[in-house]
């Protein structure tokens, strides 16, 4: 089990879309239909929480649109928040800023799209933040499946064309140009299209 240093206040931020038919995994739905895509998303969400639950760090689930009424399916030690902002960058920035004002030391943010994420990888990300300002888990599509910081860096969320293949590259470019240290985890695949889903669905359904 991944165990953070006892004198550090750590948290994993899980950015999660509310589970609504026709509003999740839309690119996958184009191939398999809305209902099947919704089920695929639910499996990805469950997998993400199984991974996160093995960490000692605090888990903070950020819903995209509204606070769900029934939270009984989530671990009892979760904290729940609602994303705020006009776009993904602003929403992530606001979440990081809020928690750093609460004196957290190391923060990781993940989504619910990566079926290759492991507790060990999250533990490694926390350890990388002992020596670096930022840690990035690059996705094979050019985005990132994980971003971690040990201090609030608002510029990392500005001027980025989200949902493009330039996200990770431009993020690293910003950090380098502004003198921030960062490390990079191994690239992993997010589940966005049918080819991605076919690679992982057996694992998630087992």
């Amino acid at each position: 089990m991944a165990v953070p240093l006892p004198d550090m206040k750590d948290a994993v931020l899980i950015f999660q879309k509310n589970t609504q038919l026709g509003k999740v995994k839309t690119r996958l739905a184009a191939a398999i239909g809305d209902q099947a895509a919704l089920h695929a998303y639910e499996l990805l969400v469950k997998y993400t929480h199984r991974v996160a639950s093995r960490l000692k760090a605090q888990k903070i689930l950020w819903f995209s649109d509204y606070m769900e009424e029934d939270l009984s399916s989530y671990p009892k030690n979760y904290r729940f928040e609602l994303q705020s902002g006009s776009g993904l960058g602003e929403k992530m920035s606001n979440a990081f800023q809020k928690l750093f004002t609460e004196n957290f030391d190391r923060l990781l943010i993940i989504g619910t799209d990566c079926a290759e994420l492991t507790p060990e990888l999250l533990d490694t990300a926390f350890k990388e933040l002992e020596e670096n300002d930022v840690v990035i888990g690059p996705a094979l599509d050019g985005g990132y499946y994980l971003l971690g910081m040990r201090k609030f860096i608002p510029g990392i969320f500005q001027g980025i064309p989200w949902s493009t293949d330039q996200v990770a590259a431009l993020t690293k470019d910003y950090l380098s140009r502004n003198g921030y240290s960062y490390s990079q985890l191994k690239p992993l695949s997010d589940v966005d299209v049918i080819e991605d889903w076919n690679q992982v669905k057996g694992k998630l359904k087992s």
Side-chain angles (χ1 to χ4, degrees):
M1 180 179 290
V3 180
L5 295 177
D7 59 341
M8 302 295 283
K9 186 178 180 183
D10 299 333
V12 177
L13 291 66
I14 305 168
F15 259 40
Q16 180 174 317
K17 288 184 178 180
N18 292 96
T19 308
Q20 303 176 76
L21 184 67
K23 294 187 177 181
V24 296
K25 290 286 152 234
T26 54
R27 293 168 63 192
L28 180 59
I32 64 175
D34 287 342
Q35 193 64 53
L38 179 67
H39 181 58
Y41 182 69
E42 290 172 340
L43 292 174
L44 284 164
V45 166
K46 289 178 182 178
Y47 176 82
T48 301
H49 292 298
R50 284 201 303 271
V51 170
S53 67
R54 292 181 58 190
L55 297 177
K56 289 294 187 182
Q58 185 169 351
K59 274 73 69 174
I60 306 175
L61 176 54
W62 297 75
F63 289 113
S64 60
D65 299 312
Y66 57 88
M67 294 293 289
E68 295 182 0
E69 293 184 8
D70 183 8
L71 302 173
S72 61
S73 64
Y74 298 105
K76 296 185 183 302
N77 62 347
Y78 266 40
R79 169 178 164 181
F80 301 94
E81 296 282 351
L82 186 62
Q83 298 172 28
S84 66
S86 59
L88 180 59
E90 187 176 339
K91 289 178 178 180
M92 289 193 293
S93 180
N94 289 343
F96 272 106
Q97 185 176 27
K98 175 180 175 63
L99 295 181
F100 275 122
T101 61
E102 296 179 14
N103 298 316
F104 278 90
D105 295 303
R106 296 179 296 190
L107 299 173
L108 304 180
I109 191 167
I110 59 174
T112 55
D113 296 322
C114 184
E116 298 178 345
L117 202 63
T118 64
E120 292 76 20
L121 197 60
L122 294 177
D123 184 44
T124 296
F126 275 123
K127 289 177 179 175
E128 291 296 329
L129 291 176
E130 295 173 16
E131 304 292 337
N132 296 280
D133 298 318
V134 175
V135 60
I136 298 172
L140 295 176
D141 63 5
Y144 50 71
Y145 61 85
L146 175 150
L147 179 72
M149 291 191 286
R150 64 178 180 182
K151 60 183 177 182
F152 183 50
I153 306 173
I156 204 172
F157 303 107
Q158 299 167 1
I160 300 292
W162 302 102
S163 301
T164 72
D165 60 3
Q166 296 297 305
V167 172
L170 291 174
T171 301
K172 290 183 284 186
D173 180 63
Y174 172 84
L175 293 169
S176 297
R177 286 188 289 105
N178 290 277
Y180 294 108
S181 60
Y182 71 89
S183 66
Q184 182 171 296
L185 304 176
K186 63 180 180 180
L188 299 179
S189 176
D190 277 340
V191 175
D192 292 313
V193 295
I194 186 64
E195 291 81 8
D196 304 326
W197 176 239
N198 286 338
Q199 291 291 321
V200 302
K201 62 183 181 181
K203 168 186 178 181
L204 295 180
K205 291 178 180 178
S206 60

